Amino acid sequence: MMEMPVELMDRRLAEISQHVEAVIAAIPRLPQEGTRAEGLIERDFGGYSVPQAILFFALFIMVGIAAEWLYRSAMWRPKLWLATFPIQRIADRLIGILATFGYGFGAWIAFLVGSHAVFLALPLPPLMRQFLLGYLIVASCVRGAMILLDCLLVPSGDETPLAKFRVTPISPEAARFWRNRLALAVGWFLFGWVTVHLLALLEFSLDARRAIAYALGLGLLAIAIEVIWKRPKPAAGSASSRRIRPRALQWLWTFYAVVLWGLWIAGMMPLLWFLLVATILPMAISISRRATAHVMRPPESSPVETSSFSVATACAERSIQAGLILSAILIIAWAWDVDLIAMTSGETMTMRLIRGALNAVLVLLAADFLWHIVGTVIDVKLDENKPPPHASDEEIGRSARLRTLLPILRNILLVTFIIVAVLMALSALGLEIGPLIAGAGVLGVAVGFGAQTVVKDIISGMFYLFDDAFRVGDYIQSGSHKGTVESFSLRSVRLRHQRGPIYTVPFGELGAVENMSRDWVIDKSVINVTYDTDLEQVRKIIKDIGRQLKENPEFAPKIIDTLKMQGVQEFGDYAIQIRMKLTTKPGEQFVIRRRAFAMIKMAFEEKGIRFATPTVQVAEGKHSVAAAAQQSLSIERAAADPA
């Protein structure tokens, strides 16, 4: 019969209470068990005392350190090569980092060989041998952790030659802090773990060993609290340095560390490991991303890198992230006593759910990996297809077309990846996606009828893009909407008007599109001159101005066919209308036309040519004019007389 939640919780609390009481009851028995352990040591250490065992251990460590020193002395040439190795490419930095890790690994192997060789050479009693081997393994792991942290963090400072191979982007002070604290935490944890297991050889009871383990756990708690309160601040000016870290947050982390220690004492190991993984995993992912970006950054001597390294950066970042997530899953499975191998053949409901959840996680990780690779390739193509400053019209057009189509392709691929990943994840969970797909098809038809306008917009946009009707950067006009194309979505286009406003126009409402940014523009204008003007002289002046514009280095690249006079447009009521024509690149006609008008005015003034303006002439008899003048004088006199 299945237990009710209240009954399950009550039973679990009773188990925790019983566990804690057993540990507390074992504390008074520790002196008695310690006395019994001393007797076992005197009997089974073969006449050796504990201080002598400590001297043997110190001898092993000293020999290991001496062997490591000899290795480093003999390998001075590779170290000098690393110090002088130039970084001209990203590949050079990767080679240097791998060589640094190889050099450190060799030093660790030298320490292992030196320390363990002496241990194996000495004839020691079995019990003493087990104790010394356990603590020697602890020392070897701590030394390996220190060497690994030295390779990752390079805590010796930025002035050292190997600082250029630092993997994590932190300051030397922060590197020294984290190197010391992490090595101390690893050493203390391994020391406590080995000590508790070796105490079983001295016939300590399980509860007594747990009490000693919890007491040693206070050391880990102290290290964690010291890190929380004394961790170095980020470098000034960095993004993380601008984050607010109030004291309340430090107290919150301290309380969290105490809660984890309390869960350990209570024996709630599954919850403890789950909280640890949930805390450490986001930090590890964030650190791995920053480290990957730091390692894969372009060298100063070679700022231009091929796109393959951008794709390689995305591959490395997502591979590390996937590895961290899978490692977290394995740790949680181990903490919860989940047999992943047996789960593959288990047919119970729980096993099927867990197996489906793991398969779904793998599918989502694979989809995330593929999407970031594809997205990175598209982003690299967008960056590579920016036209150079003096690009030809064909290059500019090709670049604009790619900058128009690639973002839309990226959005379509994103939606496709999401739909396929969700369907595959649901299938991995054991759900039948066939009816779901069929239902989605029916729902799609219903939505299509209800959202015909949206469907019309999307399909119209596809045809506009296939026809290459406009691109990003083109100036277009459609009905009452006009402006420069800034961006697209699946159903609309954003137009920036020359005065600043933005129009978001659905593709279905565009209709006929007038593109004013393709190939060339013919600008026609008309000027009015008086009837007594020498038209041949005007033609020569305009021709000369066209020649000057063509020779101007500012306007020459923008002019396709320079300014010309086309002849007399018509004879007006008060002027002769002369028509001119200018062919330029799209959008450049306005500036050139303004300069041409200014030059024409100056040239006409020098030659005495007058622009025609409308005038009104009044012609009447002499008596009428005299009467009007007399009437005007009378009005002025009346206004001047104050009476």
Side-chain angles (χ1 to χ4, degrees):
M1 184 177 180
M2 184 178 295
E3 290 183 310
M4 298 296 292
V6 176
E7 297 175 351
L8 183 62
M9 183 178 297
D10 183 67
R11 182 173 61 82
R12 185 56 183 160
L13 291 176
E15 293 175 356
I16 294 173
S17 177
Q18 184 179 1
H19 171 78
V20 174
E21 290 175 358
V23 172
I24 295 175
I27 294 176
R29 300 196 303 268
L30 287 177
Q32 181 181 355
E33 297 194 18
T35 303
R36 185 173 65 251
E38 290 179 3
L40 291 175
I41 291 175
E42 292 177 359
R43 186 190 67 187
D44 296 336
F45 266 36
Y48 292 104
S49 63
V50 174
Q52 289 176 323
I54 295 175
L55 289 177
F56 276 120
F57 180 76
L59 175 64
F60 301 154
I61 300 301
M62 292 175 61
V63 173
I65 293 175
E68 182 181 344
W69 180 81
L70 290 175
Y71 167 81
R72 294 183 183 273
S73 300
M75 297 293 289
W76 65 272
R77 289 184 182 276
K79 187 174 182 180
L80 179 62
W81 175 81
L82 277 174
T84 58
F85 185 72
I87 300 179
Q88 300 177 351
R89 303 172 301 162
I90 297 178
D92 296 335
R93 184 184 293 112
L94 296 176
I95 292 173
I97 291 174
L98 291 177
T100 302
F101 277 92
Y103 177 80
F105 181 74
W108 183 57
I109 293 297
F111 178 86
L112 288 179
V113 171
S115 58
H116 286 71
V118 179
F119 170 79
L120 295 174
L122 293 178
L124 299 172
L127 183 61
M128 182 178 177
R129 195 175 191 84
Q130 290 180 355
F131 269 80
L132 290 178
L133 179 60
Y135 289 116
L136 186 58
I137 292 175
V138 172
S140 300
C141 293
V142 172
R143 185 55 192 154
M146 294 177 66
I147 293 176
L148 177 63
L149 291 171
D150 286 339
C151 296
L152 288 172
L153 304 177
V154 191
S156 53
D158 290 336
E159 67 280 356
T160 59
L162 297 181
K164 57 189 175 182
F165 300 128
R166 181 180 290 131
V167 176
T168 53
I170 58 176
S171 63
E173 294 77 13
R176 284 190 289 270
F177 176 87
W178 289 110
R179 183 254 195 188
N180 296 334
R181 298 314 185 276
L182 291 175
L184 178 61
V186 170
W188 188 261
F189 173 78
L190 292 176
F191 171 78
W193 185 76
V194 170
T195 299
V196 172
H197 282 75
L198 290 177
L199 289 178
L201 301 176
L202 300 179
E203 300 181 357
F204 273 80
S205 64
L206 178 60
D207 293 331
R209 283 185 280 130
R210 286 175 175 173
I212 295 174
Y214 298 150
L216 292 174
L218 289 173
L220 289 176
L221 179 61
I223 294 172
I225 294 175
E226 195 263 348
V227 167
I228 291 171
W229 287 89
K230 292 188 177 181
R231 60 175 179 169
K233 296 181 179 179
S238 64
S240 56
S241 67
R242 295 188 290 270
R243 298 175 184 170
I244 300 176
R245 294 196 306 164
R247 188 171 294 271
L249 185 60
Q250 294 175 320
W251 280 109
L252 183 61
W253 277 110
T254 303
F255 175 75
Y256 184 73
V258 174
V259 168
L260 292 178
W261 183 74
L263 292 175
W264 182 28
I265 292 178
M268 303 176 66
M269 298 306 296
L271 180 58
L272 170 65
W273 282 106
F274 178 79
L275 293 178
L276 277 175
V277 170
T279 304
I280 296 175
L281 181 61
M283 297 181 182
I285 291 175
S286 176
I287 293 172
S288 66
R289 287 179 178 176
R290 286 185 291 163
T292 303
H294 181 72
V295 170
M296 302 297 289
R297 71 190 189 280
E300 297 180 358
S301 59
S302 179
V304 179
E305 290 282 339
T306 59
S307 60
S308 59
F309 282 106
S310 298
V311 178
T313 302
C315 291
E317 178 184 322
R318 290 297 153 179
S319 299
I320 295 173
Q321 178 176 321
L324 292 173
I325 294 175
L326 293 177
S327 301
I329 293 174
L330 293 176
I331 292 174
I332 293 176
W334 167 78
W336 290 1
D337 293 329
V338 177
D339 191 349
L340 298 178
I341 298 177
M343 188 185 64
T344 57
S345 58
E347 293 300 330
T348 64
M349 178 63 69
T350 303
M351 289 298 181
R352 287 200 299 267
L353 289 177
I354 296 176
R355 182 168 62 243
L358 291 178
N359 291 334
V361 170
L362 293 176
V363 168
L364 294 178
L365 288 177
D368 177 76
F369 179 82
L370 293 176
W371 160 244
H372 277 83
I373 299 303
V374 173
T376 302
V377 172
I378 293 176
D379 291 338
V380 168
K381 290 297 181 183
L382 286 173
D383 291 336
E384 289 180 347
N385 281 279
K386 291 181 178 178
H390 302 289
S392 62
D393 293 341
E394 183 179 356
E395 293 175 339
I396 294 175
R398 187 186 308 113
S399 174
R401 184 168 177 80
L402 286 175
R403 287 186 290 115
T404 300
L405 295 177
L406 288 179
I408 296 178
L409 176 62
R410 180 171 52 190
N411 294 335
I412 295 175
L413 290 176
L414 176 60
V415 174
T416 304
F417 271 106
I418 292 175
I419 294 175
V420 173
V422 170
L423 291 176
M424 293 181 66
L426 293 176
S427 177
L429 288 172
L431 298 177
E432 291 292 337
I433 63 173
L436 182 63
I437 295 175
V442 175
L443 180 63
V445 173
V447 172
F449 280 111
Q452 296 183 32
T453 304
V454 177
V455 176
K456 175 185 176 183
D457 293 337
I458 295 175
I459 296 177
S460 299
M462 294 174 59
F463 282 109
Y464 278 123
L465 296 178
F466 289 153
D467 293 339
D468 196 19
F470 45 81
R471 307 165 183 166
V472 173
D474 287 357
Y475 189 89
I476 66 173
Q477 180 173 354
S478 176
S480 60
H481 305 298
K482 61 181 178 180
T484 303
V485 179
E486 282 198 344
S487 62
F488 297 93
S489 67
L490 287 177
R491 61 172 298 271
S492 62
V493 59
R494 289 166 59 90
L495 302 179
R496 172 76 69 173
H497 193 270
Q498 61 267 23
R499 294 190 180 92
I502 291 181
Y503 297 110
T504 301
V505 186
F507 287 118
E509 297 181 7
L510 280 179
V513 175
E514 181 181 358
N515 194 325
M516 305 179 184
S517 300
R518 293 291 176 86
D519 303 330
W520 42 265
V521 172
I522 296 178
D523 184 71
K524 295 184 177 182
S525 54
V526 176
I527 58 174
N528 299 324
V529 296
T530 58
Y531 273 92
D532 57 352
T533 303
D534 185 351
L535 296 180
E536 180 62 22
Q537 187 180 20
V538 171
R539 186 189 66 81
K540 292 180 180 179
I541 292 174
I542 294 176
K543 181 180 179 180
D544 183 63
I545 291 174
R547 179 186 56 78
Q548 295 179 32
L549 291 174
K550 189 66 175 178
E551 294 175 354
N552 190 324
E554 178 184 357
F555 299 132
K558 306 173 184 179
I559 296 176
I560 297 176
D561 193 3
T562 191
L563 183 68
K564 295 179 180 179
M565 174 179 165
Q566 289 188 293
V568 176
Q569 176 76 11
E570 65 175 304
F571 293 102
D573 295 335
Y574 61 90
I576 300 176
Q577 295 182 358
I578 298 177
R579 187 171 183 175
M580 300 181 297
K581 184 178 75 170
L582 174 68
T583 305
T584 67
K585 293 183 178 180
E588 306 294 341
Q589 68 272 23
F590 307 106
V591 177
I592 300 175
R593 184 208 301 159
R594 287 192 288 268
R595 175 62 67 88
F597 282 173
M599 297 173 68
I600 289 172
K601 182 179 183 303
M602 293 176 60
F604 279 14
E605 289 178 352
E606 292 177 358
K607 301 297 183 179
I609 300 174
R610 293 178 294 115
F611 291 99
T613 56
T615 57
V616 177
Q617 296 181 354
V618 180
E620 296 186 6
K622 295 182 179 179
H623 296 290
S624 298
V625 174
Q630 184 65 31
Q631 184 178 2
S632 176
L633 290 174
S634 300
I635 293 173
E636 291 179 359
R637 289 171 182 170
D641 190 359

